[in-house]
Amino acid sequence: MNAVEIEQAITSLANAAFDRENFPYDFLAAFGNKDTTLKRLRAGVSNKSDLGGVLQTSNIHIAVAPPGAVTITLAALKASLATTRYKAKFILATDGETLEAEELDSGDTIACAYPDFPDHFGFFLPLAGISIVRQIRDNAFDIRATSRLNRLYIELLKDNPDWGNAERRPEMNHFMARLIFCFFAEDTDIFRSSGLFTATIEQMSARDASNTHAVISEIFRAMNTAIDQRSQASLPRWADIFPYVNGGLFSDSVAVPRFSRIARSYLLHIGQLDWTRINPDIFGSMIQAVADDEERGALGMHYTSVPNILKVLNPLFLDDLREKLIEAGDNKIRLRNLRKRLARIRVFDPACGSGNFLVIAYKQLREIEYAINEHRDEKGRKSDIPLTNFRGIELRDFPAEIARLALIIAEYQCNVRYLGQREALAVFLPLSQDNWITCGNALKLDWLSICPPTGTGTKLQGDDLFAAPPEHTPIDFENEGGETYICGNPPYVGRKYQTDEQKEELQNVFRRRTKDTLSLDYVTGWFIKAVDYMNATDTDAAFVTTNSICQGVQVSALWPAIFAGGASIRFAYLSFKWQNLAANNAGVTVIIVGLSMKKSMRRLYTVTDESTVNIVETHNINPYLVPGDNVFIVPCNQVPDERTPMQFGNHPYYANELMLEPEEAAALIGEDTRTARFIRPLYGSKEFISGNPRLCIWITEDNLTCAKAIPAIWNRVEKVGRTRASKQKDIQAQKLVATPYQFRDQYEAENSLLVVPIVSSENRPYLPAGLLPSNAIIHNKAFALYDAPLWNMALIASRLHWVWIGTVCVRLEMRFSYSNTLGWNTFPVPTLTEKNKADLTRCAEDILLAREAHFPATIADLYNPDTMPDNLRTAHDHNDEVLERIYLGRRFKNDTERLEKLFELYTQMTTRQGKGKHHD
Ligand SMILES: C[S@@+](CC[C@H](N)C(=O)[O-])C[C@H]1O[C@@H](n2cnc3c(N)ncnc32)[C@H](O)[C@@H]1O
């Protein structure tokens, strides 16, 4: 069951008469438990309660209490041995009048009247395996409202299929935005009389819903008719009492989809929610899923937490404002100047979705303004901060509409909070005509016309606020002396996932800057547009983005263009997880990058855990987000010194029949013992890390004649030949038809074989390179060093190499993805003396011996950061000690210092070779 279905089920349960006998089962059914599970509980087979209630193992212990004894029953549930033994996560007691529950891990409790328990819907969601971030969970209203709007949306599309097609979808979405506004307005006295909208529909529309659409349409018409035009409008009396709202929201067509009986009842239900509790930060993000066929049902997936948004806004401009507030103290003039400054700050999010960055920015500025007013003894003073200073571009029409609504609601709520409801109401209607959120493609639109430089512009007032203005049309925005901050979380879209149009848009944005847009993520287009904008007006920008734009090949494709535009990195947050649902732990790994044209101290933020952030100050942040001069690591085809070349393992090229699982190999030998001499262990990264090699048939020219004589082998060889022959368009496969007894590549070691996995978990504190038996074959899913002196392994297994690879190579989410050309051949190593090499060889041997001591533990076991054996840690630590002394004469203090040194050495190395690319 998804969250929407659960909300529906618990609402029905709470509305029905309380059934003492069945409540626990009905409750569990509402959270998606299957009939068979409930049957077993009822029969007592799986019910572990020691209190006559129902205890589902690892889930919940429920007891129906005698009347008035809910609290005492909850205490008994808590004290129950079975609760602990069977690991209940929740306890719940109810007598049908009240309900109390506790989540045992967190100690969070709820106590409410029984019919209201669905209001605590978020609290119980983990029972259905849905764990959500606290902010959503604590805002049950937003979840319930979204859930109900969801149902209405689906029901209306059922009754009006034409409203679901591409042409009418925007109209449908516009209709939903109007409804949301009406629900909010009727509960906040904006419509003067509480519940007016819902009550009017209930009274004036027939029970069979046949004229619901007509009634709503008349109400909308009233809201679009100015008071002085009402007499000509011949509105029915019951519609005439609605105020004039417009502001674009009710202009144009007042067409309303037809309602079924069910849709009407859904509508009335939604009206019964308390819309004063709407939270525009969250609601907007959630509600946009309603209009998205794929996302509907996954409530809150799009929610971006306020702390994460503040990671962008605080360093971008809010921290500075707060500092200025403190500095101003009680100095009235300085406070007034700061207030003036606030009123001229524009925030521009060119991928604004439902406007959450803008809403948070608005609310934060209002808070600072209020603090100023308090210090100046002007508490009731109206705000100087115009909502029109918060501008956005959004591709999809529904989020764009919701963004504007969310801002309107945020403004109203701030007014109520800081000025009181009377004042808030007095300034609310009619809504302003100004256009702040443009529905369009940010990579095609001219940002300067949507958010023009200070003090210029011509007036554009749309009849319909949500229609995109023509491209390049300047919009009025007098803001002499003001500042603009660009922010947001634009779509990341890696190259593989970009549509042809998106690729073309990116090419256009990068035109005359770089031809190499092939590797770039779509998000990079926003960076370039921001730099162009920054060249026209005094602006700083900060975006959330995938970390890949600061790793690997994207660095040299993107960053020269940004630096050439005059911008540099003012601050950055190093990789952290941007989680939506707590359950979705995979999340995306993001960084935040702030750009500026101005010189100032640069700041690098590292999120160490949820509550701690480390800050490093530096004169410059390079495009790999390392303190130090700008430098670009360019892939290199050769090792620059005495190190052994590292190459991909052998590519089989359709030689699947030559690769064997252990059982297949055993069967082959069982069939003909002569096969044994042709069978060799085969390692890719996975096989090496898990200690589970596969096997392969390895035939060289020397023993080809013997191999031909063994049918068990030669049958397989012939199959390889046939497969390669069938790949007619593949020239390489065709060439290899002549040698079906071999992989494409034929590299093998004579004496010693080092393996380096390609992908390795970032949680391992070292890159787990290793020594394999010299007869082993390395598959192309790992790198190999053939007959390399062991000191090479000491380099690869060092912390220095770990930080280098983690920084300059691409990461797959957070996992390391090794590259020989970008990671090994570029790794700066000081000239090693014979003594150094001997010392490092010993270090590598010690690491291997330390591993050996735990035989048969695998690399995965040994390098699990929680259980890594002490002797292995010590061996690595010693290796680091020896190597770092070679680099620096002492240990490095931390990874930042390691990287600073490595970048410095890289610069020296490439300058010597005359091929480094450096940019100031
Ligand atoms: C990752 S979301 C961020 C939205 C919002 N700030 C949030 O945190 O939920 C990116 C937004 O960019 C919008 N978008 C995608 N391509 C766009 C384009 N070319 N121009 C403008 N907006 C775009 C998407 O529709 C989406 O709403």
Side-chain angles (χ1 to χ4, degrees):
M1 270 169 113
N2 67 32
V4 174
E5 290 158 343
I6 293 167
E7 197 277 329
Q8 193 168 10
I10 60 170
T11 304
S12 312
L13 177 61
N15 288 342
F18 182 67
D19 177 348
R20 297 184 66 82
E21 290 285 294
N22 288 312
F23 172 79
Y25 307 105
D26 293 343
F27 183 86
L28 289 171
F31 282 91
N33 280 281
K34 296 205 180 87
D35 283 350
T36 42
T37 312
L38 296 175
K39 247 190 215 152
R40 284 167 56 79
L41 275 173
R42 271 183 202 277
V45 186
S46 54
N47 182 0
K48 307 292 183 194
S49 178
D50 52 359
L51 293 175
V54 173
L55 195 172
Q56 191 179 32
T57 306
S58 301
N59 210 24
I60 188 167
H61 196 174
I62 307 175
V64 175
V70 171
T71 306
I72 204 165
T73 307
L74 193 78
L77 285 169
K78 194 162 182 183
S80 135
L81 285 179
T83 298
T84 318
R85 182 170 315 144
Y86 296 103
K87 300 190 174 89
K89 293 192 189 103
F90 285 84
I91 48 174
L92 183 158
T94 179
D95 59 357
E97 290 293 318
T98 60
L99 179 145
E100 292 184 23
E102 180 170 341
E103 188 188 20
L104 295 166
D105 268 355
S106 63
D108 286 354
T109 53
I110 56 162
C112 60
Y114 175 79
D116 298 338
F117 84 80
D119 287 344
H120 300 279
F121 163 66
F123 178 84
F124 290 117
L125 266 183
L127 286 175
I130 303 174
S131 52
I132 49 180
V133 290
R134 177 165 286 275
Q135 288 92 336
I136 297 183
R137 178 180 149 162
D138 292 347
N139 286 279
F141 170 82
D142 300 292
I143 312 177
R144 299 197 73 195
T146 307
S147 163
R148 290 184 185 193
L149 286 165
N150 237 322
R151 268 178 270 151
L152 176 64
Y153 196 91
I154 293 166
E155 201 57 37
L156 287 174
L157 285 186
K158 242 194 252 164
D159 300 334
N160 306 269
D162 55 322
W163 284 65
N165 63 32
E167 283 137 53
R168 288 205 90 174
R169 221 10 124 85
E171 211 176 335
M172 175 71 184
N173 295 341
H174 195 45
F175 169 70
M176 292 302 282
R178 288 172 170 178
L179 279 188
I180 294 165
F181 174 83
C182 291
F183 290 130
F184 176 70
E186 70 171 353
D187 283 357
T188 43
D189 286 346
I190 290 167
F191 287 166
R192 304 289 184 255
S193 156
S194 169
L196 182 67
F197 179 67
T198 309
T200 307
I201 296 170
E202 184 157 27
Q203 280 157 22
M204 302 316 302
S205 70
R207 277 178 173 274
D208 67 1
S210 53
N211 66 342
T212 309
H213 63 291
V215 169
I216 298 176
S217 180
E218 282 301 88
I219 298 175
F220 285 176
R221 192 158 72 85
M223 291 194 266
N224 190 29
T225 310
I227 300 301
D228 57 2
Q229 284 157 26
R230 288 277 169 111
S231 50
Q232 294 106 288
S234 48
L235 285 162
R237 200 179 296 270
W238 47 264
D240 201 16
I241 51 177
F242 282 85
Y244 173 56
V245 174
N246 204 327
L249 194 52
F250 292 95
S251 59
D252 282 352
S253 155
V254 283
V256 171
R258 294 189 77 88
F259 276 63
S260 65
R261 227 181 240 271
I262 301 176
R264 178 177 177 274
S265 98
Y266 281 164
L267 181 89
L268 300 178
H269 261 95
I270 300 171
Q272 272 145 28
L273 291 170
D274 176 6
W275 283 78
T276 53
R277 288 160 60 196
I278 187 168
N279 181 351
D281 321 339
I282 290 179
F283 181 75
S285 312
M286 293 175 73
I287 193 73
Q288 56 172 294
V290 168
D292 189 322
D293 294 341
E294 278 164 26
E295 296 291 337
R296 206 177 294 127
L299 295 182
M301 271 305 277
H302 289 294
Y303 174 69
T304 302
S305 74
V306 176
N308 274 346
I309 294 175
L310 288 175
K311 286 191 182 95
V312 178
L313 301 180
N314 279 342
L316 184 60
F317 66 104
L318 290 173
D319 282 346
D320 178 54
L321 294 174
R322 290 196 199 98
E323 266 167 37
K324 295 285 179 302
L325 176 67
I326 293 169
E327 278 167 30
D330 284 332
N331 182 324
K332 297 243 157 74
I333 296 175
R334 288 177 77 174
L335 286 168
R336 195 188 55 201
N337 288 342
L338 183 59
R339 189 169 63 199
K340 273 192 186 157
R341 183 179 160 199
L342 294 187
R344 294 206 198 118
I345 287 178
R346 263 183 269 161
V347 184
F348 176 40
D349 179 350
C352 69
S354 51
N356 48 1
F357 281 67
L358 299 176
V359 166
I360 303 289
Y362 177 76
K363 283 167 77 168
Q364 294 287 323
L365 286 180
R366 285 291 302 264
E367 197 178 305
I368 298 172
E369 188 190 45
Y370 180 70
I372 295 174
N373 290 344
E374 259 187 328
H375 279 74
R376 283 179 49 93
D377 300 322
E378 293 173 330
K379 265 195 186 164
R381 192 176 181 282
K382 272 195 207 161
S383 173
D384 291 340
I385 300 173
L387 213 49
T388 43
N389 272 5
F390 299 80
R391 304 205 154 202
I393 304 177
E394 168 55 45
L395 189 65
R396 294 172 298 154
D397 60 297
F398 191 48
E401 298 216 23
I402 296 297
R404 186 171 169 241
L405 257 188
L407 278 166
I408 292 173
I409 291 172
E411 183 186 44
Y412 176 81
Q413 288 180 338
C414 286
N415 282 343
V416 170
R417 182 154 180 209
Y418 299 127
L419 308 173
Q421 197 186 19
R422 232 172 51 157
E423 191 57 41
L425 286 171
V427 295
F428 192 74
L429 291 178
L431 299 179
S432 143
Q433 285 286 114
D434 296 327
N435 189 349
W436 334 303
I437 308 292
T438 301
C439 184
N441 187 326
L443 293 194
K444 289 185 175 171
L445 288 166
D446 174 11
W447 292 8
L448 285 166
S449 60
I450 286 166
C451 194
T454 51
T456 61
T458 50
K459 192 115 184 140
L460 177 107
Q461 280 198 339
D463 307 332
D464 185 340
L465 289 178
F466 301 117
E471 296 190 11
H472 309 289
T473 309
I475 298 166
D476 174 54
F477 206 93
E478 293 293 335
N479 198 27
E480 195 68 66
E483 302 148 56
T484 303
Y485 295 101
I486 303 175
C487 62
N489 181 11
Y492 313 139
V493 205
R495 188 70 198 177
K496 264 204 292 194
Y497 304 99
Q498 286 163 25
T499 62
D500 288 345
E501 291 81 39
Q502 287 173 327
K503 285 180 190 160
E504 199 182 318
E505 289 160 21
L506 215 49
Q507 261 168 18
N508 287 337
V509 171
F510 276 86
R511 197 174 298 285
R512 285 193 291 278
R513 287 176 237 248
T514 174
K515 286 194 193 105
D516 174 24
T517 55
L518 276 181
S519 61
L520 291 171
D521 291 353
Y522 191 46
V523 64
T524 55
W526 272 257
F527 280 84
I528 296 298
K529 296 275 287 185
V531 171
D532 284 350
Y533 188 98
M534 290 158 87
N535 272 289
T537 183
D538 179 13
T539 307
D540 278 2
F543 294 119
V544 182
T545 160
T546 30
N547 49 8
S548 44
I549 73 161
C550 289
Q551 291 165 351
V553 285
Q554 290 202 49
V555 173
S556 38
L558 168 67
W559 288 94
I562 293 181
F563 296 149
S568 52
I569 302 175
R570 199 187 101 201
F571 70 90
Y573 263 86
L574 297 181
S575 297
F576 66 100
K577 287 212 165 135
W578 188 266
Q579 281 170 359
N580 292 324
L581 288 182
N584 181 15
N585 272 332
V588 257
T589 303
V590 299
I591 52 175
I592 293 169
V593 180
L595 298 180
S596 178
M597 308 284 275
K598 296 182 278 271
K599 294 266 171 267
S600 62
M601 207 42 158
R602 300 337 201 177
R603 285 191 169 161
L604 256 183
Y605 298 78
T606 314
V607 182
T608 43
D609 58 57
E610 276 213 351
S611 51
T612 330
V613 175
N614 272 343
I615 306 175
V616 172
E617 293 209 331
T618 170
H619 72 285
N620 189 58
I621 298 174
N622 81 16
Y624 298 91
L625 306 187
V626 174
D629 294 340
N630 293 334
V631 60
F632 301 99
I633 312 298
V634 185
C636 180
N637 288 329
Q638 284 167 355
V639 268
D641 47 34
E642 289 177 83
R643 271 174 284 163
T644 304
M646 183 187 294
Q647 59 190 80
F648 272 104
N650 298 294
H651 199 302
Y653 228 86
Y654 299 116
N656 292 356
E657 293 294 326
L658 302 185
M659 293 185 283
L660 308 167
E661 293 302 328
E663 345 30 284
E664 289 176 298
L668 212 62
I669 296 171
E671 198 181 322
D672 188 332
T673 48
R674 288 176 302 160
T675 56
R677 62 179 281 223
F678 294 95
I679 294 178
R680 310 259 289 254
L682 177 69
Y683 286 87
S685 304
K686 203 172 70 190
E687 289 81 4
F688 170 64
I689 289 173
S690 66
N692 255 333
R694 285 189 290 161
L695 297 119
C696 68
I697 298 172
W698 195 256
I699 301 169
T700 59
E701 300 302 333
D702 297 344
N703 56 24
L704 178 60
T705 322
C706 297
K708 270 189 185 161
I710 306 172
I713 286 187
W714 209 249
N715 289 341
R716 285 180 170 266
V717 168
E718 284 174 342
K719 277 190 192 155
V720 174
R722 285 198 292 275
T723 310
R724 284 182 181 161
S726 70
K727 308 288 168 193
Q728 283 170 2
K729 289 193 185 139
D730 184 335
I731 299 168
Q732 191 153 176
Q734 293 311 308
K735 277 192 193 152
L736 293 169
V737 169
T739 51
Y741 49 88
Q742 286 179 340
F743 281 23
R744 183 192 67 185
D745 310 312
Q746 283 291 293
Y747 297 100
E748 55 182 314
E750 279 180 18
N751 300 309
S752 75
L753 179 56
L754 279 181
V755 60
V756 180
I758 295 182
V759 178
S760 176
S761 162
E762 77 285 3
N763 295 325
R764 294 191 185 113
Y766 297 97
L767 289 167
L771 193 63
L772 292 177
S774 58
N775 72 331
I777 298 301
I778 298 189
H779 184 274
N780 69 324
K781 294 276 165 53
F783 286 108
L785 287 86
Y786 296 104
D787 300 308
L790 204 54
W791 53 263
N792 283 273
M793 179 180 150
L795 298 180
I796 301 166
S798 68
R799 183 75 188 178
L800 273 161
H801 199 54
W802 186 91
V803 293
W804 183 252
I805 297 300
T807 306
V808 306
C809 294
V810 181
R811 295 233 198 159
L812 301 171
E813 302 202 333
M814 288 293 260
R815 280 167 300 147
F816 284 36
S817 175
Y818 201 97
S819 156
N820 53 350
T821 53
L822 204 52
W824 178 238
N825 298 350
T826 61
F827 182 55
V829 182
T831 308
L832 299 175
T833 62
E834 289 311 310
K835 160 107 176 50
N836 292 153
K837 289 180 205 162
D839 289 347
L840 290 171
T841 303
R842 203 156 320 112
C843 290
E845 283 166 358
D846 287 347
I847 293 173
L848 292 170
L849 285 172
R851 290 182 192 166
E852 211 41 48
H854 299 277
F855 180 82
T858 64
I859 289 290
D861 303 332
L862 291 169
Y863 285 83
N864 177 339
D866 299 328
T867 54
M868 187 169 170
D870 287 343
N871 68 329
L872 184 56
R873 263 188 208 281
T874 311
H876 272 284
D877 199 52
H878 182 60
N879 182 42
D880 287 337
E881 166 99 36
V882 171
L883 186 63
E884 294 183 6
R885 284 191 183 282
I886 296 173
Y887 273 77
L888 195 67
R890 63 164 169 85
R891 289 299 298 263
F892 287 94
K893 288 192 205 106
N894 50 37
D895 288 344
T896 311
E897 204 188 23
R898 287 187 180 92
L899 280 171
E900 283 175 303
K901 183 71 185 173
L902 288 170
F903 275 101
E904 184 194 312
L905 290 177
Y906 180 80
T907 308
Q908 287 169 12
M909 179 170 98
T910 48
T911 314
R912 265 199 319 271
Q913 293 163 349
K915 61 183 177 189
K917 280 202 203 168
H918 308 282
H919 293 254
D920 293 326

